């Protein structure tokens, strides 16, 4: 799907920008080829280096460079499209005005410069160690003695050639500094094979919380070797909840289900009923599910709080409303439906295919649980 979208955007820019430049045909053809190579770098890298779109195994500096170029071209294409739509609308009452807008060549140069600036800033924001986001979460049925329980939620860590070992160490240090009682990770920890990510995932073994570190698989865990990654996470001290639950401090149930993409890879599919089977009556349920679009179904099954990721907050303001449409309207932050609560993390990292953040910062989330009475 991504190569097709990139092909459409690249072709549109060649038609509306490159082919209108005052260059000789050979120069325009060369520029068009370069543009298409940059915007299709995911597909090209996967073919040339034998990797995958999800895990381009090229030097980090090169990955940052092509990421900035790709994002700049995407921004340029969107702005060009908006200009052309404005020109068509203006053409209806005034053909002269419409033609002037549609034929304006300077706008393309401005859009390219603006795209480079926004992309450079957005990629810089995407690859930094995330800041801490804090809030209190009332949880009905939580015992009074657990009021103030500190739970750190991480999601979409996406360790890769873009987010490597030094970044992982920074993430772990920032997380442990919060002195959490519990650490939970709602999927997409890695991009690539266990061999490719051996050094990058090693720092996760240092994650420390009194009641442990728990996770569920996201869709990206299945794009390499799922079984090998489950073994690796166990070695790192991360307990992966695959359609099961544990009781935390005799105060609440923590359950987890795998990502729905598991069905395509012949692995265990998500089963909320199985995950909750045999849970102690009367205790509130916190569920880890990578995708927020499952929230209404899970809420109907009796969960009190769902923690998800997957959306990366939509990456950028404006783009987030499109991402929300593919996730049942849930994209970032807290939602309340039918007495259940959903929290969607923007993610600590993001995958190398579109590493840009504009108005949707990455986060490490510190959730302080509150007993209903104490919460008022």
């Amino acid at each position: 799907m991504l190569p097709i979208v990139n092909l459409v955007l690249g072709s549109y820019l060649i038609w509306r920008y490159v082919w209108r430049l005052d260059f000789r045909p050979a120069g325009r053809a060369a520029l068009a080829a370069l543009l298409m190579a940059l915007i299709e770098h995911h597909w090209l890298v996967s073919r040339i280096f034998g990797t995958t779109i999800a895990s381009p195994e090229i030097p980090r500096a090169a990955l940052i460079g092509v990421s900035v170029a790709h994002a700049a071209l995407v921004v340029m294409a969107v702005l060009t499209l908006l200009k052309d739509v404005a020109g068509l609308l203006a053409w209806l009452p005034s053909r002269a005005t419409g033609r002037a807008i549609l034929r304006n060549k300077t706008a393309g140069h401005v859009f390219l410069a603006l795209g480079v600036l926004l992309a450079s800033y957005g990629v810089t924001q995407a690859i930094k160690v995330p800041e801490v986001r804090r809030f209190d979460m009332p949880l009905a049925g939580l015992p009074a003695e657990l009021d103030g329980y500190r739970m750190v939620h991480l999601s979409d860590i996406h360790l890769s050639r873009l987010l490597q070992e030094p970044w992982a160490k920074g993430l772990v240090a920032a997380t442990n500094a919060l002195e959490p009682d519990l650490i939970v990770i709602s999927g997409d920890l890695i991009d690539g094979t266990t061999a490719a990510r051996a050094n990058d995932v090693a720092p996760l073994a240092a994650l420390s919380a009194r009641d442990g570190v728990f996770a569920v698989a996201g869709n990206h865990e299945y794009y390499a070797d799922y079984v090998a990654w489950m073994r690796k996470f166990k070695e790192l001290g991360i307990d992966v909840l695959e359609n099961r639950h544990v009781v935390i401090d005799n105060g609440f149930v923590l359950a987890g289900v795998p990502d729905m993409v598991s069905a395509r890879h012949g692995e265990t599919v998500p089963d909320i009923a199985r995950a909750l089977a045999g849970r102690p009556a009367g205790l509130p349920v916190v569920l880890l599910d990578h995708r927020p679009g499952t929230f209404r179904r899970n809420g109907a099954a009796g969960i009190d709080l769902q923690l998800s990721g997957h959306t990366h907050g939509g990456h950028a303001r404006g783009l987030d409303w499109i991402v929300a449409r593919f996730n049942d309207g849930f994209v970032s932050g807290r939602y309340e439906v039918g007495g259940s609560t959903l929290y969607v993390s923007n993610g600590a990292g993001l995958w190398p295919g579109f590493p840009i953040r504009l108005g949707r910062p990455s986060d490490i989330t510190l959730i302080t649980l509150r007993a209903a009475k104490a919460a008022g």
Side-chain angles (χ1 to χ4, degrees):
M1 185 58 156
L2 180 62
I4 295 174
V5 172
N6 287 335
L7 177 63
V8 171
L9 293 177
S11 300
Y12 180 68
L13 283 176
I14 292 170
W15 171 48
R16 295 297 296 146
Y17 179 69
V18 174
W19 226 245
R20 300 174 67 210
L21 294 173
D22 296 326
F23 294 170
R24 292 180 179 180
R28 283 180 286 171
L31 189 57
L34 175 61
L35 184 152
M36 194 59 75
L38 289 172
I39 205 165
E40 287 283 16
H41 76 272
H42 312 85
W43 184 85
L44 285 174
V45 167
S46 67
R47 292 300 182 273
I48 294 172
F49 294 97
T51 58
T52 67
I53 288 178
S55 179
E57 301 296 336
I58 61 176
R60 186 172 188 263
L63 188 52
I64 290 174
V66 294
S67 295
V68 170
H70 174 261
L73 292 173
V74 170
V75 171
M76 184 184 179
V78 171
L79 293 176
T80 302
L81 176 61
L82 293 176
K83 176 189 75 76
D84 288 349
V85 169
L88 291 173
L89 293 175
W91 186 85
L92 296 175
S94 171
R95 294 189 177 185
T97 301
R99 281 196 211 96
I101 295 173
L102 290 170
R103 294 176 179 176
N104 187 304
K105 293 183 179 181
T106 303
H109 305 323
V110 173
F111 294 161
L112 176 58
L114 185 59
V116 171
L117 288 174
L118 286 174
S120 299
Y121 175 75
V123 171
T124 299
Q125 293 301 298
I127 63 178
K128 71 177 187 178
V129 175
E131 297 180 358
V132 178
R133 188 176 185 180
R134 309 163 187 261
F135 63 85
D136 288 2
M137 175 65 69
L139 194 60
L142 185 73
E145 56 269 24
L146 289 189
D147 182 73
Y149 190 91
R150 295 161 64 85
M151 177 170 61
V152 168
H153 175 214
L154 302 174
S155 189
D156 298 274
I157 297 173
H158 285 288
L159 293 172
S160 64
R161 288 300 287 269
L162 184 67
L163 301 175
Q164 298 179 334
E165 181 185 14
W167 184 90
K169 287 182 176 179
L171 176 71
V172 169
T175 299
N176 288 345
L178 298 172
E179 299 181 345
D181 298 306
L182 178 70
I183 297 173
V184 296
I185 309 172
S186 56
D188 280 4
L189 287 79
I190 51 85
D191 279 302
T193 64
T194 52
R197 297 283 80 79
N199 293 332
D200 302 322
V201 301
L204 298 186
L207 285 170
S208 177
R210 185 191 69 190
D211 291 328
V213 181
F214 295 86
V216 292
N219 51 308
H220 281 240
E221 269 73 59
Y222 295 90
Y223 298 157
D225 186 338
Y226 173 78
V227 174
W229 273 117
M230 294 306 103
R231 288 197 299 265
K232 186 62 177 179
F233 292 154
K234 185 175 181 179
E235 293 172 7
L236 294 170
I238 300 172
D239 190 347
V240 179
L241 299 174
E242 187 179 76
N243 291 330
R244 64 186 180 90
H245 69 265
V246 294
V247 178
I248 302 295
D249 211 4
N250 294 316
F252 63 94
V253 172
L254 178 67
V257 293
D259 187 80
M260 64 177 64
V261 80
S262 56
R264 293 189 226 158
H265 297 267
E267 300 293 346
T268 303
V269 298
D271 186 339
I272 185 64
R274 180 179 166 192
L276 299 180
R279 72 185 187 277
L283 293 184
V285 177
V286 177
L287 175 71
L288 303 181
D289 190 334
H290 182 59
R291 301 187 190 229
T294 61
F295 174 51
R296 297 182 199 278
R297 180 179 71 240
N298 291 335
I303 64 103
D304 297 281
L305 170 63
Q306 177 170 323
L307 301 176
S308 299
H310 186 59
T311 64
H312 306 155
H315 290 271
R317 295 285 183 176
L319 183 60
D320 53 358
W321 72 267
I322 299 176
V323 175
R325 290 180 65 85
F326 290 93
N327 291 276
D328 199 23
F330 307 120
V331 66
S332 177
R334 293 170 65 173
Y335 302 87
E336 305 280 343
V337 176
S340 297
T341 301
L342 166 68
Y343 174 72
V344 186
S345 169
N346 287 350
L350 33 64
W351 76 295
F354 192 58
I356 185 170
R357 289 191 181 276
L358 294 169
R360 286 299 193 187
S362 55
D363 60 55
I364 298 167
T365 309
L366 174 60
I367 302 172
T368 302
L369 298 181
R370 295 295 181 185
K373 182 177 181 181

